[in-house]
Amino acid sequence: MSKLLEIRGICKRFGATQALKDVDFDVDRGEVVGLLGENGAGKSTLIKILAGVHAKDAGEIFIDGTPASIHTPADAQRLGIAVIYQELNLTPNQTVAENVFLHHMQRQPGLLGKLGLIDRRRREHDTLALFEQLGIHGLDPNRKVGELSVAFQQLTEIAKALAFDARLIVMDEPTSALPDEEVQHLFEIVRRLRARGLGVVFVSHRLNEVRAICDRVVVLRDGHNAGGMPIAEATDDKIISLMVGRAIENLYPKRPAEPGSVVLEVEGLTRRGVIEDVSFSVRAGEVVGLAGLVGSGRTEVARAIFGADPLTRGTVKLEGRPVRIRSPQEALRLGIGYLPEDRKVQGLILGMSVRHNLALTVLRQLAFGGQIVDWSRVDAVALAHAQEVHLRPLRVDLPVNALSGGNQQKVVLGKWLAAQLKVLILDEPTRGIDVGAKAEIHALIDELAHRGMAIILISSELPEVLAMSDRVLVMCEGRLAGELSREEATQERVLALASGKK
Amino acid sequence: AAPPAAQPQRPQPQQPVSEPQPGTKPLTFVWSPKAVNNPVFDVARRGAQDKAKELGITVEWVGPESADAQKQAELLDAAIARKVDGMGISCNDPDALKPVIDRAMDSGIPVITWDSDSPNSKRITFYSLDNEAAARKGAEIMVDLLKDSQNKTYAILTGVPGAQNLEARIKAFREVADPAGLQWVATDPCNDDIQKGIEVVENRLTANPDLAGYFMAGAWPLFGDINAMPKFQQAAKRGMKTVAWDILESELRLLKQGLVHALIGQKFYGWGYDAVGILYDIVVNKKQYPPFVDTGFDLVTTPEQADVFLKKWETGNWRD
Amino acid sequence: MKTDLSLEKTPAQPAAPFASIFRQIIQRPETSIVILLLLLGAVLSQSSSAFLTPSNLFNILRNNADIAIAALGVTLVIVAGGIDLSVGSTMAFSGLVAAIAVSLGGTTAYQLPSFGLPPLIAFALGVLAGALVGLINGLLVVKLKVVPFIATLGMLGVVRGLVVGLTSGQTVRNFPVEFTNLGQGFLGPVPIPVVFLVVLALLVGLFLAYHVWGTYIYAIGGNETSATLTGLPVSRVKILTYVLCGALAGVGGVLVVARLGVSAPTQALGYELYVIAAAVIGGVSLSGGRGTVFGAVLGAILIGVLNNALVLLRVESYWQQAFTGGIILLSALIDRLRQRRS
Amino acid sequence: MKTDLSLEKTPAQPAAPFASIFRQIIQRPETSIVILLLLLGAVLSQSSSAFLTPSNLFNILRNNADIAIAALGVTLVIVAGGIDLSVGSTMAFSGLVAAIAVSLGGTTAYQLPSFGLPPLIAFALGVLAGALVGLINGLLVVKLKVVPFIATLGMLGVVRGLVVGLTSGQTVRNFPVEFTNLGQGFLGPVPIPVVFLVVLALLVGLFLAYHVWGTYIYAIGGNETSATLTGLPVSRVKILTYVLCGALAGVGGVLVVARLGVSAPTQALGYELYVIAAAVIGGVSLSGGRGTVFGAVLGAILIGVLNNALVLLRVESYWQQAFTGGIILLSALIDRLRQRRS
Ligand SMILES: Nc1ncnc2c1ncn2[C@@H]1O[C@H](COP(=O)(O)OP(=O)(O)OP(=O)(O)O)[C@@H](O)[C@H]1O
Ligand SMILES: Nc1ncnc2c1ncn2[C@@H]1O[C@H](COP(=O)(O)OP(=O)(O)OP(=O)(O)O)[C@@H](O)[C@H]1O
Ligand SMILES: [Mg+2]
Ligand SMILES: [Mg+2]
């Protein structure tokens, strides 16, 4: 019997970029295939061709052995292909139920339905039934999606993809915004789907997840097949060397810190309804991890310190002096930087060049009299920082949206390198970043700490927090639940604190 | 007491006698109304074209889409660049058009103005009714119409506030009406818009249901169907008197129905027919004209007079 | 481990029903405008006994039914993430087409053609003309990928130019009474244009709320990329919004001609800004994905009441425009306050 | 399987410098409009010897310098992600302020005050008045968080109403010749308004390209959230764009008054759409973050050439708006073609 999905010799180019070259790929019924590769390797492009979003330049797609012509997302859906895209694809102003059944709306019975009228009650009912089936709890079908946390949005997205009878489910990094427990939950769903004989394509940069759920992995490099193997043979080293063409020495290159004097001191930080009485301090040269479940308020703490949101109560001291930070502008002037969790929406000006993005924080310093920009100096400085973060390709004239996700993240980081900070708050700095780039970003974090910067590291990836931090603060429901030294900090203890058990 | 009879004062513009000269390139005049979206100028255009045909010349109709001095000046600048043989302008603003007119005259293009003047420019002559005289006459009629009325309140309807000719009419009207005991209530603009005009009149009559008189410095609402103005109809039936500018077909019918009581008429057709003749006289026959050619104005107050003008509208013959 | 309920941003405690209804009301963008209308109404009925009479209120509605009906259409376009600047021109064009179709011909010497067709056929032709303009708008935006602002600005000019060009600035008049009745008549105590408005508002409102395509419109305006990836017929829906917008502007335009008994080339000149303002004041978001037909109608009514108020309150005519602008700002500020509250 | 060579349509080998320059040129949005201008120019100079005379060209520029100057300001606002619908009203207001300041007093019976101040002081006062309107716009948008479309639509009404109300609809005239010279005079062969335009376009262009705040403006328009979180002075920059826009509209407005020798309350009525169209035709993106001053000026010139062409090509005046609308659409379509190419 022929396979569920067979892809042969797919090619795709965008302008000067050859995104895919002669790629073969297949999935069988009841199989979970991990699709791996560095940022920009072509994973999403392959998926989007399969989904009818992009047109392929060459190659063939077979479903059940018959050639399939897929030109629009609707074509793909007709063939039973469901896709969870890398970027959330929801309408914030519509309800969960509306989003889930957007393309398969429940209609009124009879003539009214033929005329296109919706049966709202049935839609709500079906949504709940679907949630039940998927084991999703606590998600109100009538809530507006925009009011939900990212994790719930991701669950909505998953439900939306499964809202119709699909035979092949493609998940492009579905876990990058999910907390650990929800990831387990998702795997539960995937296993159930596999048992029903569906094929699943799973993309992730977290190798432990890949090993936990996939039956087989396929690795892309620079747009072509680099190899594949059953999961039993797939060691981290093997996968990584297929992905990046070399072994990665150390994913967490952390040198022991020699903390200096206290740089940042936060006391009684409160923002009504979100964070409550948070106090801690960070020393120069120290990396302080901030762990917690999604929605525990880590981002809120960072934003409050950075002046992005108003405080209800609390004081911030910088190098011993109390400061009142009312805007990011003031924070920057005081030497505090914040790398936000969503680089595209909050971190970058996508349409502008790398040069501009890198220079924004220091434009004034690079200008004659603080007014007239000296673009040749900007170029030099931008290039230096691009080099420092190992930007690839090393070009500062490209618009940022032409870079892969990992490289975009390096630009955001580079922007704060330029600013000569005392304190840098990193919010999920490696979300959606491939192992290679991740190791580089970790090395950079370490390097910055060694130069004496005080760093707060927020991450939902526990191994990252544990490996990179000198000290770990754990948040739970807006409060600081505890503090662990590097030695004390283990996965179990952090999780226990994060979920409210002492 | 009957309202004063119409006194058509009609100076005879000199009819040029010359024939088109064969063999030479036909003359091209540019005729510029204040706006091409205003129907009153359409009659002028037909007059101009009729005359052009008679004389064997070309008249181009060049005006801004809607009343705008800046745009009119710009369009005329292009006409100067083309070196046309003469221009007749209804000026959106006397001063704004002055530089253009002077530029044209300096480059040898004779210019006359009609309907709306630019008195300080080098233009050769101005062909128009005397707005203020006509408005004063209208005011006298209104005073007379209301002389037995206890209530002497009246409202004024205007178009785009600030339009030179409208302001002149309003000012002259009030200079006569107010000292004679009439009580001015309000001046409402309707931005030269028929729909807005109708709404403004109806709103005004809601606010002042016992208004005794209405002076309309332009015919805007009267372009529409009278049934669109139930309050106006009611008011007219209980005795409100209306003096309105222009002698349009729809107004004439209203006058015959007794809903409107006096119409002050401009020589729309003459703005084209007569004025083109004058410019032709100047260019070809080298005639001299005084700086102001008063066309006089028509006054319609009786159904009989209305019939005379309705006939003109029906036949399109405005010449006698 | 169970999924934590605290993931939701606002606590899900069951609120008291009254408080919850109150909160729901205050959260609706239409609320600000209702408040403003009530305020204006209070001031007006205080200072002028003429205001609160049924005939005056119906008159306000009749006079603004056309803007309100056009605002329905513009709401569809804006909710889908577009804009239509050509509505004023479309109204004039539709009105002209219906006028030429229905006119009995005049008695004057200079005349535009007139066909004396039955009023309802003329009405339909007018609406069709509007839909055609809308179709061109839609094709320009969707097929030729011209930015909506520019596409419809171009059409604003082209269509208005067509009206002026076709008529040489003349008016069309002399309609049978069955036609003018559509604008001037009553159904019981209710002016016919108001009947049109109510029926159309209900239809469009139900369409947006209960029809599959209505949901598509919100989805496309909310996130066009996502709608495309979901496999929605984005192009067709967007074109439809422009066509419906043109058709509704057409209805408005024909009703004005019927009401005034004349079609003039200056009709509805510059109305696009008022129509869009009506929608936006009523809570329709210019960035798409949000707004209701109800809000747009309220917005149009507010503008109408305002024009009425200016005269009733004896605001000097020269200051009227300043006043209208002020109320637009005031409504925006009230809306800000409301949003702070909720 | 080998990669199919035919896929590589554009070889990745280092292109010849000429080809690369060519590609850069064709990638610029201003290119479409230059092409359109050249086409129009070719047609015009073919059919009328009057077109390509310096005096005609300078006249076109003089007559459109005000729109072009206002378009500079609107470009700043739009690039920063806003919109300003009040430019037309602001032009009239600034013109009026300067007119009252400089006027020697009129001869009419009802008179507005007139101060006979020196022309340059009057000029400055007019520009200041424009900047003030801009400041209010900016504060409404930034501090009170009113949507720019609504805030500036409200101000469109308020400011125009102020102009009509303050003057009771009258015009202000009778200016000293040193003042009217600013609009009517020449510097060498170049009309003075054109000198203003060139100088201001250079200043604003350099500001956008080389001043720190210029880059901030692009950044804010590109992504306001990111710009805020990068610590840029977002509020102040946005307010500044509105203030500059108001001031530049003010310059345009005063120049019109000087050129026409009169300030009328109807001045620049409805010009907001032309000014915005000039910018957008010139490649300024309404969603912010993209566009140049050069493009905006070209856009304004295109509109000016068009008006000139109407008369030179003997297009009947009734069709002028259709013509203008058509060219706006044409420019959008050419732009589409260009984008396909590159
Ligand atoms: N729409 C597009 N236009 C131009 N280039 C594109 C486009 N989409 C993707 N690319 C380029 O194609 C290449 C493959 O990108 P793709 O998104 O498939 O990578 P990926 O493997 O999904 O990476 P990541 O792990 O970061 O998601 C990259 O170089 C990317 O910059
Ligand atoms: N803009 C907002 N409006 C209202 N509530 C918000 C907003 N942003 C966050 N919250 C809520 O505040 C709480 C803390 O969220 P926060 O984003 O700080 O969590 P986090 O620990 O950083 O998790 P994440 O991994 O999702 O970033 C959550 O309940 C969240 O839903
Ligand atoms: Mg990807
Ligand atoms: Mg977070």
Side-chain angles (χ1 to χ4, degrees):
Chain A
M1 199 165 92
S2 47
K3 294 212 169 185
L4 173 58
L5 168 74
E6 274 182 87
I7 287 178
R8 293 284 163 260
I10 293 278
C11 297
K12 175 72 188 174
R13 83 180 296 143
F14 296 106
T17 321
Q18 184 76 45
L20 294 175
K21 249 177 293 181
D22 250 343
V23 172
D24 298 341
F25 183 77
D26 44 49
V27 184
D28 212 344
R29 296 169 195 80
E31 188 183 35
V32 181
V33 181
L35 179 59
L36 307 182
E38 282 184 295
N39 293 124
K43 306 179 293 289
S44 297
T45 304
L46 184 65
I47 289 169
K48 285 185 176 165
I49 286 174
L50 185 58
V53 177
H54 291 322
K56 57 183 188 290
D57 295 338
E60 287 167 304
I61 300 174
F62 300 92
I63 305 274
D64 293 329
T66 44
S69 67
I70 304 174
H71 300 293
T72 65
D75 291 343
Q77 291 183 5
R78 260 193 298 281
L79 289 165
I81 302 170
V83 181
I84 297 164
Y85 294 95
Q86 184 170 6
E87 318 290 334
L88 281 175
N89 277 299
L90 300 167
T91 341
N93 287 316
Q94 289 183 300
T95 64
V96 171
E98 279 171 332
N99 270 283
V100 167
F101 284 105
L102 190 53
H103 196 241
H104 303 275
M105 258 182 272
Q106 286 72 6
R107 299 194 179 196
Q108 297 275 0
L111 178 67
L112 288 180
K114 287 219 179 66
L115 288 175
L117 293 191
I118 306 163
D119 186 343
R120 293 183 160 199
R121 194 135 1 115
R122 195 153 67 82
R123 178 168 65 194
E124 199 181 315
H125 176 265
D126 287 3
T127 309
L128 282 172
L130 180 66
F131 286 176
E132 187 61 35
Q133 194 191 336
L134 297 176
I136 297 173
H137 300 285
L139 184 49
D140 178 357
N142 291 318
R143 283 292 287 276
K144 292 248 163 76
V145 163
E147 298 169 1
L148 300 174
S149 68
V150 185
F152 267 143
Q153 291 188 5
Q154 185 62 266
L155 290 178
T156 308
E157 179 84 32
I158 291 167
K160 178 177 172 182
L162 299 177
F164 70 106
D165 262 338
R167 300 191 298 149
L168 176 68
I169 315 270
V170 184
M171 304 180 166
D172 196 352
E173 297 195 41
T175 55
S176 69
L178 285 186
D180 219 36
E181 83 232 68
E182 291 300 337
V183 172
Q184 296 312 322
H185 185 167
L186 176 68
F187 286 177
E188 226 17 78
I189 297 173
V190 170
R191 286 191 193 103
R192 233 178 287 169
L193 296 172
R194 171 169 60 189
R196 277 202 257 145
L198 275 73
V200 177
V201 180
F202 182 81
V203 179
S204 173
H205 289 294
R206 300 182 185 166
L207 297 184
N208 53 343
E209 291 178 358
V210 171
R211 200 152 328 90
I213 191 70
C214 297
D215 303 312
R216 188 159 64 83
V217 295
V218 172
V219 180
L220 295 184
R221 187 164 81 223
D222 291 338
H224 50 246
N225 288 98
M229 64 199 86
I231 201 68
E233 299 168 20
T235 63
D236 277 9
D237 286 348
K238 257 185 172 168
I239 296 177
I240 290 172
S241 66
L242 276 183
M243 273 166 59
V244 295
R246 66 194 150 88
I248 290 199
E249 299 291 302
N250 185 358
L251 186 53
Y252 304 113
K254 166 86 183 151
R255 289 172 279 176
E258 304 131 24
S261 55
V262 171
V263 179
L264 178 76
E265 223 178 324
V266 174
E267 229 178 87
L269 210 62
T270 301
R271 183 162 145 66
R272 193 171 296 123
V274 194
I275 47 176
E276 190 64 44
D277 201 18
V278 171
S279 308
F280 64 89
S281 64
V282 190
R283 294 168 174 276
E286 192 183 27
V287 179
V288 173
L290 200 52
L293 302 180
V294 169
S296 56
R298 298 161 300 171
T299 297
E300 296 292 333
V301 168
R303 288 178 59 94
I305 295 173
F306 191 55
D309 293 326
L311 280 179
T312 312
R313 218 173 27 249
T315 55
V316 176
K317 279 194 208 158
L318 198 66
E319 293 176 327
R321 272 186 310 119
V323 288
R324 246 180 76 80
I325 304 171
R326 279 156 306 194
S327 69
Q329 203 189 341
E330 292 180 358
L332 177 62
R333 206 176 300 141
L334 292 166
I336 303 176
Y338 169 60
L339 182 144
E341 51 187 341
D342 184 338
R343 57 179 167 264
K344 287 202 169 147
V345 176
Q346 304 175 333
L348 292 166
I349 320 285
L350 287 174
M352 286 181 117
S353 66
V354 171
R355 169 201 304 129
H356 283 92
N357 273 281
L358 282 173
L360 270 185
T361 49
V362 286
L363 211 53
R364 221 168 244 297
Q365 285 91 300
L366 298 180
F368 298 114
Q371 308 284 323
I372 307 301
V373 185
D374 177 353
W375 284 110
S376 58
R377 247 177 97 199
V378 168
D379 261 359
V381 169
L383 197 63
H385 289 292
Q387 248 156 0
E388 202 170 349
V389 297
H390 306 290
L391 191 72
R392 271 188 297 266
L394 187 60
R395 280 177 55 187
V396 294
D397 58 321
L398 289 179
V400 174
N401 51 15
L403 299 180
S404 78
N407 282 296
Q408 290 184 355
Q409 189 73 323
K410 290 183 201 164
V411 173
V412 192
L413 208 57
K415 175 171 89 176
W416 292 116
L417 286 187
Q420 310 283 332
L421 301 172
K422 299 186 181 119
V423 180
L424 177 57
I425 310 172
L426 303 166
D427 197 350
E428 311 280 3
T430 62
R431 175 176 286 174
I433 301 269
D434 70 48
V435 267
K438 209 180 230 174
E440 286 177 282
I441 287 174
H442 289 155
L444 255 158
I445 294 173
D446 185 56
E447 170 63 27
L448 289 175
H450 258 257
R451 285 193 214 154
M453 207 182 274
I455 292 178
I456 300 174
L457 172 64
I458 301 172
S459 172
S460 295
E461 235 185 299
L462 260 187
E464 179 175 271
V465 181
L466 297 180
M468 292 306 301
S469 314
D470 297 302
R471 214 152 33 100
V472 180
L473 306 172
V474 187
M475 289 197 65
C476 175
E477 293 181 357
R479 291 172 178 277
L480 217 50
E483 177 179 333
L484 305 167
S485 69
R486 185 171 171 81
E487 293 69 38
E488 296 168 323
T490 62
Q491 196 128 353
E492 293 72 34
R493 292 191 66 174
V494 171
L495 272 176
L497 283 172
S499 53
K501 298 176 214 146
K502 284 284 151 151
Chain B
Q7 321 167 324
Q9 330 166 338
R10 343 191 73 216
Q12 294 303 309
Q14 352 253 82
Q15 287 290 320
V17 281
S18 52
E19 293 294 306
Q21 291 128 347
T24 55
K25 183 173 149 278
L27 293 176
T28 299
F29 289 167
V30 158
W31 229 242
S32 181
K34 284 187 194 143
V36 297
N37 66 8
N38 187 341
V40 301
F41 291 114
D42 189 51
V43 183
R45 183 174 67 107
R46 297 186 191 262
Q49 277 164 355
D50 288 352
K51 190 68 181 187
K53 206 173 292 160
E54 278 177 27
L55 296 174
I57 64 172
T58 317
V59 172
E60 280 178 36
W61 197 245
V62 173
E65 170 88 11
S66 53
D68 179 346
Q70 205 173 327
K71 186 84 184 290
Q72 190 180 25
E74 195 178 339
L75 293 171
L76 292 175
D77 263 333
I80 296 174
R82 262 180 51 206
K83 302 224 182 310
V84 295
D85 301 300
M87 302 203 290
I89 306 171
S90 165
C91 301
N92 271 299
D93 182 274
D95 289 348
L97 271 300
K98 177 180 177 301
V100 191
I101 293 173
D102 292 354
R103 253 197 301 284
M105 291 295 292
D106 292 345
S107 62
I109 301 172
V111 179
I112 67 169
T113 53
W114 50 272
D115 171 38
S116 242
D117 193 17
S118 173
N120 298 326
S121 70
K122 297 181 179 165
R123 56 105 178 106
I124 298 167
T125 183
F126 173 45
Y127 173 88
S128 166
L129 87 167
D130 181 341
N131 269 307
E132 301 193 8
R136 274 195 295 272
K137 183 75 204 166
E140 283 164 18
I141 295 174
M142 179 72 91
V143 170
D144 193 59
L145 284 166
L146 296 184
K147 71 173 183 291
D148 296 329
S149 165
Q150 292 297 315
N151 180 344
K152 296 212 183 269
T153 55
Y154 75 99
I156 298 177
L157 180 72
T158 183
V160 177
Q164 195 73 19
N165 53 347
L166 297 179
E167 298 291 340
R169 290 172 201 169
I170 292 168
K171 178 168 153 267
F173 190 94
R174 290 193 60 187
E175 275 169 3
V176 173
D178 293 5
L182 299 195
Q183 280 171 313
W184 170 81
V185 174
T187 301
D188 302 311
C190 72
N191 296 331
D192 286 356
D193 181 14
I194 296 174
Q195 183 177 350
K196 188 95 197 295
I198 287 174
E199 283 160 22
V200 164
V201 168
E202 291 291 286
N203 279 339
R204 175 52 58 204
L205 288 169
T206 307
N208 303 83
D210 55 354
L211 212 58
Y214 224 124
F215 173 55
M216 297 185 182
W220 309 281
L222 306 180
F223 260 101
D225 182 341
I226 191 64
N227 292 325
M229 296 196 290
K231 290 223 160 74
F232 179 82
Q233 275 177 294
Q234 278 166 24
K237 294 213 174 93
R238 69 152 164 74
M240 183 179 76
K241 306 296 183 200
T242 299
V243 174
W245 213 264
D246 290 337
I247 304 186
L248 300 171
E249 190 206 8
S250 54
E251 289 177 289
L252 290 165
R253 297 194 192 284
L254 295 179
L255 187 125
K256 283 178 74 178
Q257 291 170 40
L259 298 171
V260 169
H261 306 88
L263 300 175
I264 301 166
Q266 323 185 64
K267 310 278 191 190
F268 302 137
Y269 188 80
W271 286 344
Y273 190 86
D274 295 343
V276 167
I278 291 173
L279 187 60
Y280 187 85
D281 257 4
I282 292 168
V283 174
V284 177
N285 301 335
K286 310 287 178 232
K287 272 237 175 78
Q288 297 287 316
Y289 274 88
F292 178 51
V293 179
D294 191 343
T295 65
F297 54 89
D298 297 322
L299 207 53
V300 177
T301 53
T302 64
E304 296 72 40
Q305 291 165 345
D307 282 330
V308 173
F309 280 90
L310 277 172
K311 187 97 187 155
K312 290 180 194 276
W313 278 104
E314 278 160 29
T315 57
N317 179 6
W318 294 82
R319 267 164 266 178
D320 35 52
Chain C
M1 222 184 285
K2 280 235 52 121
T3 306
D4 191 346
L5 271 175
S6 72
L7 279 174
E8 307 200 6
K9 282 167 192 168
T10 37
Q13 348 121 323
F18 174 74
S20 132
I21 289 174
F22 178 74
R23 200 147 59 89
Q24 278 204 0
I25 288 179
I26 215 169
Q27 274 175 0
R28 297 206 61 83
E30 293 88 358
T31 308
S32 329
I33 197 165
V34 172
I35 295 173
L36 197 57
L37 270 174
L38 291 179
L39 278 178
L40 253 177
V43 172
L44 281 172
S45 53
Q46 211 56 19
S47 59
S48 163
S49 58
F51 178 70
L52 264 186
T53 58
S55 93
N56 186 48
L57 293 180
F58 272 138
N59 248 335
I60 295 179
L61 286 177
R62 183 204 292 274
N63 287 343
N64 293 281
D66 54 322
I67 288 195
I69 291 173
L72 299 178
V74 155
T75 299
L76 293 174
V77 170
I78 299 180
V79 168
I83 188 98
D84 189 350
L85 293 175
S86 72
V87 272
S89 300
T90 308
M91 289 171 82
F93 182 59
S94 290
L96 177 67
V97 169
I100 289 180
V102 82
S103 172
L104 303 171
T107 44
T108 53
Y110 316 121
Q111 260 182 52
L112 297 170
S114 57
F115 296 95
L117 297 179
L120 287 181
I121 292 185
F123 199 110
L125 286 175
V127 175
L128 216 66
L132 189 74
V133 175
L135 181 66
I136 299 175
N137 279 328
L139 292 175
L140 283 170
V141 170
V142 170
K143 297 295 172 194
L144 298 174
K145 306 223 180 329
V146 180
V147 201
F149 190 94
I150 289 298
T152 57
L153 180 64
M155 287 298 282
L156 179 160
V158 170
V159 175
R160 174 69 63 184
L162 216 60
V163 170
V164 177
L166 288 176
T167 59
S168 305
Q170 293 174 89
T171 53
V172 182
R173 54 181 71 245
N174 202 2
F175 308 134
V177 67
E178 300 84 51
F179 183 71
T180 51
N181 240 343
L182 292 173
Q184 299 168 1
F186 289 87
L187 199 76
V190 188
I192 291 182
V194 179
V195 177
F196 269 95
L197 170 61
V198 171
V199 171
L200 288 172
L202 280 176
L203 280 179
V204 178
L206 289 175
F207 172 76
L208 269 179
Y210 287 99
H211 195 274
V212 173
W213 282 40
T215 309
Y216 289 175
I217 289 175
Y218 282 103
I220 291 168
N223 186 344
E224 190 170 331
T225 320
S226 136
T228 310
L229 292 182
T230 308
L232 303 190
V234 174
S235 302
R236 265 185 294 150
V237 172
K238 281 171 75 180
I239 292 179
L240 178 83
T241 60
Y242 285 100
V243 171
L244 287 180
C245 180
L248 286 164
V251 174
V254 177
L255 286 179
V256 178
V257 169
R259 176 158 61 86
L260 304 183
V262 58
S263 153
T266 49
Q267 201 177 310
L269 194 66
Y271 276 28
E272 50 280 350
L273 287 184
Y274 288 103
V275 172
I276 296 172
V280 178
I281 288 176
V284 178
S285 158
L286 280 170
S287 39
R290 247 175 327 166
T292 64
V293 155
F294 180 54
V297 172
L298 282 177
I301 292 178
L302 179 67
I303 293 181
V305 169
L306 207 67
N307 282 334
N308 194 253
L310 293 171
V311 177
L312 294 190
L313 295 178
R314 290 155 211 262
V315 175
E316 245 224 278
S317 55
Y318 296 114
W319 292 100
Q320 290 182 3
Q321 205 168 1
F323 210 77
T324 312
I327 292 280
I328 291 181
L329 290 182
L330 191 62
S331 85
L333 293 180
I334 291 185
D335 203 50
R336 279 302 303 161
L337 280 180
R338 181 188 59 74
Q339 282 179 24
R340 284 245 181 104
R341 256 317 120 84
S342 71
Chain D
M1 221 188 287
K2 276 243 44 107
T3 308
D4 189 348
L5 269 176
S6 70
L7 280 176
E8 315 225 328
K9 274 176 198 134
T10 36
Q13 340 125 324
F18 174 75
S20 130
I21 288 174
F22 177 75
R23 200 144 61 89
Q24 280 204 359
I25 287 178
I26 214 170
Q27 275 174 357
R28 297 207 62 82
E30 294 88 357
T31 307
S32 329
I33 196 165
V34 171
I35 295 173
L36 196 58
L37 271 174
L38 290 179
L39 279 176
L40 253 177
V43 172
L44 282 172
S45 53
Q46 210 58 21
S47 59
S48 165
S49 58
F51 178 71
L52 265 186
T53 57
S55 90
N56 186 49
L57 293 179
F58 272 138
N59 254 332
I60 295 178
L61 288 176
R62 181 205 294 273
N63 288 338
N64 293 281
D66 52 322
I67 286 195
I69 291 173
L72 299 178
V74 156
T75 298
L76 293 173
V77 170
I78 298 180
V79 168
I83 188 94
D84 189 350
L85 293 174
S86 72
V87 271
S89 300
T90 308
M91 288 171 82
F93 182 59
S94 290
L96 176 67
V97 169
I100 290 180
V102 81
S103 169
L104 304 170
T107 44
T108 48
Y110 311 125
Q111 258 187 50
L112 298 169
S114 57
F115 296 93
L117 296 178
L120 287 182
I121 292 185
F123 198 111
L125 286 175
V127 175
L128 217 65
L132 190 72
V133 174
L135 181 66
I136 298 175
N137 278 328
L139 292 175
L140 283 170
V141 170
V142 171
K143 296 295 173 193
L144 298 174
K145 307 225 182 325
V146 180
V147 201
F149 190 94
I150 289 296
T152 57
L153 179 65
M155 287 298 282
L156 179 160
V158 169
V159 174
R160 175 70 62 184
L162 215 62
V163 170
V164 177
L166 286 176
T167 58
S168 304
Q170 293 173 84
T171 50
V172 182
R173 48 185 84 237
N174 200 5
F175 308 133
V177 68
E178 301 84 49
F179 182 70
T180 51
N181 241 343
L182 292 172
Q184 301 169 2
F186 290 86
L187 198 76
V190 188
I192 292 182
V194 180
V195 176
F196 268 95
L197 170 61
V198 170
V199 172
L200 287 172
L202 281 176
L203 281 178
V204 178
L206 290 173
F207 172 76
L208 269 180
Y210 287 100
H211 195 275
V212 173
W213 283 37
T215 305
Y216 289 175
I217 288 175
Y218 282 103
I220 291 167
N223 184 343
E224 190 170 331
T225 315
S226 288
T228 309
L229 289 179
T230 305
L232 304 189
V234 174
S235 302
R236 263 186 294 151
V237 172
K238 281 172 75 180
I239 292 178
L240 178 83
T241 61
Y242 285 99
V243 171
L244 286 180
C245 180
L248 285 164
V251 174
V254 177
L255 286 179
V256 179
V257 169
R259 175 158 61 86
L260 300 182
V262 58
S263 154
T266 50
Q267 214 143 53
L269 195 66
Y271 276 28
E272 49 280 350
L273 287 184
Y274 288 104
V275 172
I276 295 171
V280 177
I281 289 175
V284 177
S285 158
L286 280 170
S287 38
R290 249 171 328 156
T292 64
V293 156
F294 180 53
V297 172
L298 283 177
I301 292 178
L302 179 67
I303 292 180
V305 169
L306 215 64
N307 283 333
N308 196 255
L310 289 169
V311 179
L312 294 193
L313 295 179
R314 293 157 210 250
V315 177
E316 257 220 275
S317 276
Y318 295 107
W319 293 101
Q320 56 184 265
Q321 206 167 356
F323 205 78
T324 312
I327 292 281
I328 291 180
L329 289 181
L330 190 63
S331 85
L333 294 180
I334 292 186
D335 203 48
R336 280 302 303 159
L337 281 180
R338 180 188 60 74
Q339 282 179 25
R340 284 244 180 103
R341 256 315 121 84
S342 71

